[in-house]
Amino acid sequence: MIEPVTPAAGIGKADSREWGFQKWDRDFRFLLECFESVLESSGEARLADALSRAFSGETVDEPLPPRGAQAFSIAFHMLGMAEENTSNQVRRLRETANGPAAEVGSWSYYFANLKRDGFTEADVRAALPRVGVQPVLTAHPTEAKRATVLEHHRELYLMLVERENPHWTPMEQDALRARIEAGVERLWRTGEIFLERPDVESEIQNTLHYLRNVFPDATQLVATRFRQAWERTFPGTTPPDAPRLTFGSWVGGDRDGHPFVSTEVTRHALMRLRAAALALQRRQLETLAAHLSLSEQLQSPPKELTARIREYQELLGDAARDAVARNPAEPWRQFLNLMLGRLPGDGAGAPHEYRRAEELDADLLLLARSLEAIGAGRLVRGDVAEARLLVRTHGFHSASLDIRQNSASHDRAVAQLLGIAGLGGSDFAEWPERRRCELLDRELESPRPFAVVTAALPADADAAVGVFRLVREYIERHGAAGIGTVIVSMTRGVSDLLNVYLLAREAGLVGRADEGIVCDVAVTPLFETIDDLERSADVLAGFLAHPMTRRTLEHLRKRDGRARPLQEVMVGYSDSNKDGGMIASLWALRNAQTRMARVARDAGVELRFFHGRGGTIGRGAGPTHVFLRSLPPATLEGEMRVTEQGEVISQKYANRVTAAEHLERLLAGVTRWTVAHEREPLAPHPAEYAIERVAVESRRAYRELIETEGFVEFFSQATPIDAIESSRIGSRPPRRSGKRTIADLRAIPWVFSWSQARFNLPGWYGVGSGFERVRAADPAAWDQVRRAAGEWDFLSYLLHNVETSLTSAHPALMEEYASLVENSALRERIMAAIRDEYSCTSRVIEELFGGSVTERRPRLMKAIEVRRAALVRLHREQIRLLRDWRASGSADEKLTPLLVTVNAIAGALKTTG
């Protein structure tokens, strides 16, 4: 039996990494032992031996036994569980040994940072009401594991955490091991891949799991740690409310290139989200009623409470009798019973029901005042504060649902409406921007729609107007909190955004208000490609200057109770990287944010950036606290939204403690840098000119590769892109329009396929050439960059991400995947370019950092080494299966074992796209 690792008393920070490595190894060996026992008892001794040898570092070049890829997949997920649990335990260890302020990214760490930098308690307190963070769970289909398998993983992880109890007896340890082995056997006997492509409903259900079962507890933990950190950092002061943390979703609302997201699907998503929120609020009120069993014989209830009880008895009528009679002489419980009676049901909405979550929060605030009045402040800070936090976080909607659509789809819808109105316009999409805007300016002077409500509309117009009619109905019935923004993908000009107002007008979402003609929904441009990012400031300036936008922003400011008008802008990391490579992408994103911040400031508008980051470095991933630190000065004004995509959701949020850590880093980091950005001018860094030149040269090198003759053929054969396009990992098609081009391929399968073949090309290609070309042309600029690498947060973040991509790549495996390319001359020509750039980029990164990655990043190297031999065997199995599948003409019976290797490698690398 492998026993849990218990740290020695008083272990210091210097020893925590080594202790963590030992614990990680031992926890994983324990789980692997359990798995091998299950396999041996199931008659799979060969597989058990293959696992043991592979994870002992032995490389075996022979085909895996049947179901070998699934066994390796399970083992890799176990390794991830051990890593996650170890990370949480090491964090606890460091906090105990060194104090909470020593943990980078925590509330205590950032509060201490602010004090060190000269900010006072009053400075921080004043900033907190402006801070709001919203992780958005997207509909991007990158989760390669079935929902059932995810649930088995969660159960197994919780049992692993149970082993941390140092007081288990030997018999209790044996019983726990038996439960773990049973959990492992369930995994082994459950298929890991989707046999059919999942529908949107299954994706909605997966999202709801986190909103119902993980986020409520994790949010409470984040708020508790906020209060504790405040009291430690600013002793003697009353902690304010924690900054706002809410959640968003694209699942069921993201229509961009997704033929299965109809108006009815969006309606279903909204109703499921609402039902989940109401169930959560009901459960919390029931818990609160069970706790607040205070008797009026021991304390007199305040008059405000008894008056509200009488008011609700009259409002609820007969339904109030049982609510009051159930708990005689317990007025606090009676009040909560009446509040439960006011929660909305599934019907049309009775007069006594709460219309908005703010009404429920007002009653909870009254409840808190009544408890404070009798001296029961602890109950307020505990029970009632928890209930209020859930109301503020989830409301009656769980998460706000964005509506996203591509600008080209809106163009087609507008063209059809112009045709109905007899205005021509069938070629509206080809009109020059000036002509488009002139028509839209005229039309938006009136709330009159083109078509009567009962008119049948052509397909594109019907789809666009239909979803806006649904939004109008939802807002009228339930309020605006459940509706996010309308996001316009591929925004190229102001007319792309004004189109939304015109389509919303057809649905009755545009009307007259005090400000004039306004729209009831906010419009968010999404700038994705490098060219679009370079135009973004001009587009934003034109949009903010438009009378319809100015009136709408003021209307929404009043409706939502904001101090200033708010405009959201989404920036995309995926397509910009696919378009120009790593440095060009991040540089374009940085410049765009800086320029747009100036535009918004000049317009007197608060700007909220929505960062569309994916799960891999090629799509914007990286440590949250470092990402926030690297943002351009004065671009963070308190509010931020950020996507959480695919497998990243389960990695970050599958378990309460891990979820709370990620949410704390996000919310605390935004708070810290919001306060700091208030004093930071929009001033350039001295090395910016040099990096701009590097970005230009890097993009040129990257484009030279992907535009070279035969590159599409090389990519199609040297990576498993064809298998990925045949997989069942999500409901969204992998291509925007079905064309067999790189441009039409979505960024997710682009990055996924390169990572499967261990090139990781989007994360590093062109970087070395960019730096070397600048060094050759201007040695002084190179010296400036070298000095900046250690002290400029943006450059350090960029270089660390490139280094991670390089280190995770595997040159020998690249060659083995390239052997799948049938044209040997093409293969050698492109591989020569890739080899040269890999070597060049590796040299440049090591020179800029002044040392090898092995010395500087032992944890990264540990994570790679522990997976190395087993991954090599899996990759070779995938190459063999790819060759056989392609030779068979892509036979269906050969696809499933191939997709198991895709799933297993994704689990091992902890990424799909």
Side-chain angles (χ1 to χ4, degrees), residues 377-447:
R378 287 188 183 86
L379 303 183
V380 174
R381 293 186 293 274
D383 298 335
V384 182
E386 288 186 5
R388 291 196 68 204
L389 180 63
L390 287 186
V391 172
R392 292 197 301 273
T393 302
H394 295 281
F396 290 168
H397 61 281
S398 291
S400 59
L401 185 70
D402 289 336
I403 307 297
R404 185 173 81 131
Q405 183 56 284
N406 195 288
S407 59
S409 178
H410 286 163
D411 279 349
R412 293 192 297 270
V414 170
Q416 291 172 356
L417 289 173
L418 292 175
I420 288 174
L423 298 175
S426 60
D427 58 345
F428 176 76
E430 282 73 50
W431 287 9
E433 177 70 3
R434 182 174 179 178
R435 183 183 176 191
R436 286 159 61 98
C437 285
E438 285 174 353
L439 178 138
L440 291 163
D441 289 347
R442 289 195 305 271
E443 287 299 326
L444 292 174
E445 291 176 357
S446 167

Side-chain angles (χ1 to χ4, degrees), residues 373-627:
I374 62 169
R378 287 188 183 86
L379 303 183
V380 174
R381 293 186 293 274
D383 298 335
V384 182
E386 288 186 5
R388 291 196 68 204
L389 180 63
L390 287 186
V391 172
R392 292 197 301 273
T393 302
H394 295 281
F396 290 168
H397 61 281
S398 291
S400 59
L401 185 70
D402 289 336
I403 307 297
R404 185 173 81 131
Q405 183 56 284
N406 195 288
S407 59
S409 178
H410 286 163
D411 279 349
R412 293 192 297 270
V414 170
Q416 291 172 356
L417 289 173
L418 292 175
I420 288 174
L423 298 175
S426 60
D427 58 345
F428 176 76
E430 282 73 50
W431 287 9
E433 177 70 3
R434 182 174 179 178
R435 183 183 176 191
R436 286 159 61 98
C437 285
E438 285 174 353
L439 178 138
L440 291 163
D441 289 347
R442 289 195 305 271
E443 287 299 326
L444 292 174
E445 291 176 357
S446 167
R448 163 197 49 78
F450 284 127
V452 297
V453 174
T454 56
L457 300 177
D460 290 300
D462 186 58
V465 175
V467 75
F468 285 132
R469 285 175 177 159
L470 168 62
V471 168
R472 188 204 71 228
E473 293 166 6
Y474 185 94
I475 291 175
E476 289 174 350
R477 186 170 174 182
H478 304 304
I483 303 295
T485 67
V486 178
I487 300 172
V488 183
S489 301
M490 294 297 174
T491 296
R492 304 289 167 82
V494 175
S495 63
D496 291 330
L497 305 175
L498 299 181
N499 277 345
V500 175
Y501 292 146
L502 195 68
L503 294 167
R505 188 182 72 171
E506 293 299 304
L509 275 169
V510 168
R512 295 190 183 276
D514 293 342
E515 298 79 17
I517 298 173
V518 300
C519 184
D520 269 335
V521 291
V523 181
T524 296
L526 168 50
F527 301 107
E528 299 176 84
T529 68
I530 290 178
D531 289 344
D532 291 344
L533 287 164
E534 290 175 347
R535 289 192 297 266
S536 62
D538 292 337
V539 174
L540 180 64
F543 184 57
L544 292 179
H546 197 277
M548 182 70 173
T549 303
R550 291 201 304 268
R551 293 192 302 266
T552 294
L553 292 182
E554 179 60 19
H555 168 67
L556 297 176
R557 181 195 71 78
K558 291 179 180 177
R559 185 194 72 183
D560 300 336
R562 292 185 172 275
R564 288 196 298 156
L566 173 72
Q567 175 62 50
E568 177 178 283
V569 172
M570 186 171 184
V571 289
Y573 290 70
S574 307
D575 283 281
S576 59
N577 179 275
K578 178 167 165 276
D579 187 31
M582 174 64 78
I583 293 185
S585 168
L586 290 184
W587 185 247
L589 284 157
R590 181 181 180 84
N591 283 343
Q593 290 174 69
T594 299
R595 293 196 301 268
M596 285 192 282
R598 289 195 183 102
V599 166
R601 188 163 299 179
D602 291 344
V605 170
E606 181 181 349
L607 190 61
R608 175 173 67 200
F609 281 111
F610 185 178
H611 295 271
R613 303 170 74 212
T616 59
I617 285 168
R619 297 189 57 240
T624 297
H625 64 289
V626 187
F627 162 72

Side-chain angles (χ1 to χ4, degrees), residues 265-325:
V265 166
T266 302
R267 184 191 309 277
H268 177 69
L270 285 167
M271 292 301 101
R272 291 292 304 275
L273 288 167
R274 180 172 170 82
L278 291 171
L280 175 65
Q281 303 304 349
R282 180 171 297 280
R283 188 164 67 243
Q284 186 64 31
L285 288 181
E286 289 171 347
T287 299
L288 194 54
H291 287 174
L292 294 183
S293 54
L294 286 70
S295 171
E296 65 182 3
Q297 296 174 352
L298 299 177
Q299 52 261 308
S300 297
K303 291 180 180 179
E304 184 183 26
L305 179 67
T306 55
R308 187 62 61 88
I309 290 173
R310 288 195 299 271
E311 177 189 341
Y312 283 2
Q313 283 181 287
E314 294 179 11
L315 179 65
L316 290 165
D318 292 343
R321 291 199 191 96
D322 288 343
V324 173

Side-chain angles (χ1 to χ4, degrees), residues 498-796:
L498 299 181
N499 277 345
V500 175
Y501 292 146
L502 195 68
L503 294 167
R505 188 182 72 171
E506 293 299 304
L509 275 169
V510 168
R512 295 190 183 276
D514 293 342
E515 298 79 17
I517 298 173
V518 300
C519 184
D520 269 335
V521 291
V523 181
T524 296
L526 168 50
F527 301 107
E528 299 176 84
T529 68
I530 290 178
D531 289 344
D532 291 344
L533 287 164
E534 290 175 347
R535 289 192 297 266
S536 62
D538 292 337
V539 174
L540 180 64
F543 184 57
L544 292 179
H546 197 277
M548 182 70 173
T549 303
R550 291 201 304 268
R551 293 192 302 266
T552 294
L553 292 182
E554 179 60 19
H555 168 67
L556 297 176
R557 181 195 71 78
K558 291 179 180 177
R559 185 194 72 183
D560 300 336
R562 292 185 172 275
R564 288 196 298 156
L566 173 72
Q567 175 62 50
E568 177 178 283
V569 172
M570 186 171 184
V571 289
Y573 290 70
S574 307
D575 283 281
S576 59
N577 179 275
K578 178 167 165 276
D579 187 31
M582 174 64 78
I583 293 185
S585 168
L586 290 184
W587 185 247
L589 284 157
R590 181 181 180 84
N591 283 343
Q593 290 174 69
T594 299
R595 293 196 301 268
M596 285 192 282
R598 289 195 183 102
V599 166
R601 188 163 299 179
D602 291 344
V605 170
E606 181 181 349
L607 190 61
R608 175 173 67 200
F609 281 111
F610 185 178
H611 295 271
R613 303 170 74 212
T616 59
I617 285 168
R619 297 189 57 240
T624 297
H625 64 289
V626 187
F627 162 72
L628 293 172
R629 193 173 68 210
S630 73
L631 291 175
T635 58
L636 185 53
E637 296 190 86
E639 297 214 28
M640 174 185 283
R641 300 178 82 206
V642 60
T643 53
E644 300 286 17
Q645 300 182 9
E647 80 290 337
V648 171
I649 299 173
S650 61
Q651 288 171 14
K652 288 185 177 179
Y653 302 119
N655 304 297
R656 171 179 173 268
V657 173
T658 308
E661 180 210 354
H662 287 292
L663 293 173
E664 180 176 348
R665 286 190 172 201
L666 183 59
L667 193 56
V670 170
T671 301
R672 191 262 185 267
W673 295 109
T674 292
V675 176
H677 280 210
E678 290 178 348
R679 296 187 185 176
E680 291 185 355
L682 279 166
H685 188 278
E688 286 197 4
Y689 174 69
I691 292 300
E692 175 126 23
R693 295 174 64 188
V694 173
V696 170
E697 294 298 337
S698 173
R699 184 183 186 186
R700 183 175 291 124
Y702 177 85
R703 297 301 303 182
E704 286 169 359
L705 176 71
I706 67 173
E707 290 174 359
T708 193
E709 183 180 355
F711 179 78
V712 173
E713 181 182 347
F714 177 90
F715 167 67
S716 299
Q717 295 179 20
T719 76
I721 180 60
D722 45 354
I724 289 168
E725 290 189 86
S726 300
S727 68
R728 285 87 170 182
I729 65 172
S731 65
R732 177 192 299 273
R735 294 183 181 271
R736 295 184 185 275
S737 63
K739 298 176 183 176
R740 307 302 299 180
T741 64
I742 298 296
D744 194 60
L745 183 68
R746 290 185 179 277
I748 290 170
W750 166 258
V751 174
F752 192 3
S753 54
W754 286 117
S755 66
Q756 283 275 309
R758 297 300 291 280
F759 285 82
N760 292 350
L761 189 136
W764 58 266
Y765 195 93
V767 173
S769 290
F771 280 109
E772 289 288 16
R773 291 175 185 181
V774 169
R775 170 155 54 180
D778 188 349
W782 164 260
D783 289 339
Q784 193 173 43
V785 167
R786 188 163 46 81
R787 289 192 299 272
E791 51 84 19
W792 185 15
D793 289 328
F794 165 75
L795 184 56
S796 176

